[in-house]
Amino acid sequence: GAVVSQHPSRVICKSGTSVKIECRSLDFQATTMFWYRQFPKQSLMLMATSNEGSKATYEQGVEKDKFLINHASLTLSTLTVTSAHPEDSSFYICSAMDPVWNQPQHFGDGTRLSIL
Amino acid sequence: AQKITQTQPGMFVQEKEAVTLDCTYDTSDPSYGLFWYKQPSSGEMIFLIYQGSYDQQNATEGRYSLNFQKARKSANLVISASQLGDSAMYFCAMREGSSYKLIFGSGTRLLVRP
C-alpha cells in the first residue's frame, strides 16, 4: 500500500488563487521530504527540500515567496503555491524517506495543478 | 555536465521479451546510490530497484535487475519477460555523497507491444 499520501490529486482554479498541497508519510517519520515539479514529457525537477521543524531549502531559481513550504510535523509537509498564475500549472509531486542511506524516496501520487 | 544520462527517449519491446534501459552517471564521489523508478501515465512514481556504489553484486528485484558496471559508470535496468503493464516512463536517479537529494535522468518511455 501507499506509504506517502498526497492531496489533492487535481486542482483547477482561477488565476490569483493560492493552492495548498499536502504530503503525508503514512508508515514512518519523515524528517525530510522533497517537492518536485514536472512539466509534460519532462523529468522531475527538485524544487525544495522540506526539513521538519526548520526552514525549507530551495533549489536555485525557485521562488521562496511563491512556493511556501511548511513541515510542521514528522508526517506532514505542505506546499502552498501563492497567487497562482497559468505558468504555475504543472504536476507537483512530493516524496518522503526514512533517513537511512540506502532507502529510496517514496513518492506521493502527485497533484495536477491547472490555473485558468 | 549531465549527472544522469538516459540516451533512449523511447523504446519498444515485444511482450514476454527482455529489454534493457540504459543509464550512465557522472560523479567523483566514491559513495553514491543509483535508483530506478517507473512512472505510469497516471503519474505516480514507483520505486523499482536500488544499487549502492559499494555493492559487490548486481541488484535484482523480481523481473528487474540492474546491470551495474562501475568502471563504465553505467547502471542499466533489465526487465525480463516484459508485460503490457510495463509500458511507462522509466527514470534513473542518483544520490551522491551524504546528500539525500535525487538527481533524475530525462527518462525513457517504454512501450510493450502485444
Side-chain angles (χ1 to χ4, degrees), chain A residues 84-101:
Chain A
H85 292 285
E87 59 267 27
D88 298 322
S89 298
S90 190
F91 185 66
Y92 294 87
I93 190 166
C94 70
S95 71
M97 60 174 290
D98 260 327
V100 175
W101 174 243

Side-chain angles (χ1 to χ4, degrees), chain B residues 13-105:
Chain B
V13 65
Q14 204 66 34
E15 192 179 8
K16 300 180 185 177
E17 292 186 349
V19 63
T20 298
L21 307 183
D22 295 342
C23 174
T24 57
Y25 58 92
D26 182 25
T27 181
S28 57
D29 201 305
S31 178
Y32 54 89
L34 298 158
F35 301 79
W36 276 92
Y37 285 87
K38 172 184 177 182
Q39 187 179 41
S41 57
S42 49
E44 71 268 32
M45 293 286 283
I46 302 167
F47 165 69
L48 297 178
I49 197 165
Y50 165 81
Q51 181 84 45
S53 59
Y54 296 118
D55 293 344
Q56 295 295 313
Q57 297 192 341
N58 287 345
T60 60
E61 288 287 347
R63 293 187 300 111
Y64 304 108
S65 61
L66 205 151
N67 184 0
F68 182 44
Q69 298 189 38
K70 198 169 182 177
R72 296 180 59 187
K73 294 190 174 180
S74 73
N76 299 338
L77 176 70
V78 181
I79 305 175
S80 62
S82 296
Q83 301 172 356
L84 296 178
D86 293 335
S87 295
M89 281 290 289
Y90 288 82
F91 291 99
C92 179
M94 177 175 68
R95 181 193 293 164
E96 55 185 346
S98 59
S99 173
Y100 288 114
K101 291 184 190 179
L102 281 181
I103 304 164
F104 283 87

